[in-house]
Amino acid sequence: MINRIRDIRREKGLTLADVAARCVPPTTAQTIGRLETGMRQLSLTWMNRIAAALQVEPELLVRGDEAEQPKYIARLTTEGAEALPAPRDAILPTALAGDGDLVALAIESPAGHYRAGDQVWLRRFGPEDFPRLLNRDVLAPRTGGRFAFGRMIDRDAQRVAILPPDPGHRQIVIDNPAWLAVAEMLVRAL
């Protein structure tokens, strides 16, 4: 079994101390760290306590060593839904990363055509590729560990201009971004 506590905790933006304080009864950050790393065995009691603290189902905290690969089983054409001749592997966005150039953006509140709960998967590109990203939704690093997200509406040799997705916002101009990540895939729960 693979322990996923750390991944889920980080996805939710929580520290070890946050999770420890949310446990009932509260515990220590050190104990949560030991459970995450496997230095302490994850019992059913601990699984339930940590799942409640993270507000997830307990079974999400662990997964089998060899989880079955999701499959494409049908396709939708102009004629309607039809079965594939044989199922084929569906590649999840995390498996597309290859050299690690995929990143994800969690949408926590509605913005433009993005809904709360959406995940946007983006591929990073260097400055030499910026010209072909014009008029695409991009994520750009800013100073101080901040980011800008929106439609790239202009660029020159040193700057890019990004228009946030909500109407009425002003463009954000970023000097010499090290990279831009262009939106490639939207994952939305139905």
Side-chain angles (χ1 to χ4, degrees):
M1 294 295 238
I2 297 172
N3 180 329
R4 300 180 61 216
I5 297 170
R6 177 177 289 152
D7 295 335
I8 294 168
R9 174 180 61 79
R10 286 180 176 168
E11 186 177 313
K12 291 184 170 275
L14 300 172
T15 65
L16 291 170
D18 293 335
V19 176
R22 290 178 174 201
C23 282
V24 177
T27 187
T28 65
Q30 184 179 22
T31 299
I32 300 299
R34 288 180 175 162
L35 289 162
E36 276 186 359
T37 59
M39 293 178 64
R40 183 168 179 179
Q41 184 166 343
L42 183 62
S43 67
L44 188 56
T45 301
W46 275 112
M47 236 171 85
N48 288 329
R49 285 174 67 187
I50 293 172
L54 292 171
Q55 298 176 328
V56 298
E57 294 298 320
E59 59 268 13
L60 287 179
L61 299 180
V62 293
R63 72 168 187 249
D65 293 335
E66 293 190 27
E68 185 176 329
Q69 177 73 27
K71 305 277 187 203
Y72 285 109
I73 59 170
R75 64 181 171 206
L76 185 61
T77 68
T78 56
E79 306 300 316
E82 59 184 45
L84 293 175
R88 65 178 195 257
D89 288 346
I91 300 172
L92 298 174
T94 53
L96 294 173
D99 13 343
D101 55 355
L102 263 189
V103 293
L105 172 68
I107 307 294
E108 294 189 355
S109 47
H113 62 273
Y114 296 101
R115 299 181 196 162
D118 285 353
Q119 291 179 3
V120 180
W121 288 83
L122 310 105
R123 188 167 305 276
R124 281 193 274 201
F125 290 96
E128 65 280 0
D129 292 311
F130 290 0
R132 64 188 184 101
L133 305 181
L134 196 59
N135 205 28
R136 302 274 310 270
D137 284 351
V138 298
L139 179 70
R142 298 174 69 189
T143 58
R146 296 175 301 147
F147 292 93
F149 177 72
R151 183 70 41 120
M152 186 170 83
I153 57 172
D154 196 12
R155 66 158 198 88
D156 62 26
Q158 288 87 26
R159 296 179 304 213
V160 296
I162 296 173
L163 186 62
D166 276 334
H169 283 81
R170 296 180 53 173
Q171 72 179 6
I172 300 166
V173 177
I174 302 170
D175 291 322
N176 296 313
W179 52 267
L180 292 176
V182 65
E184 283 195 358
M185 184 181 305
L186 173 66
V187 179
R188 176 175 287 165
L190 297 178

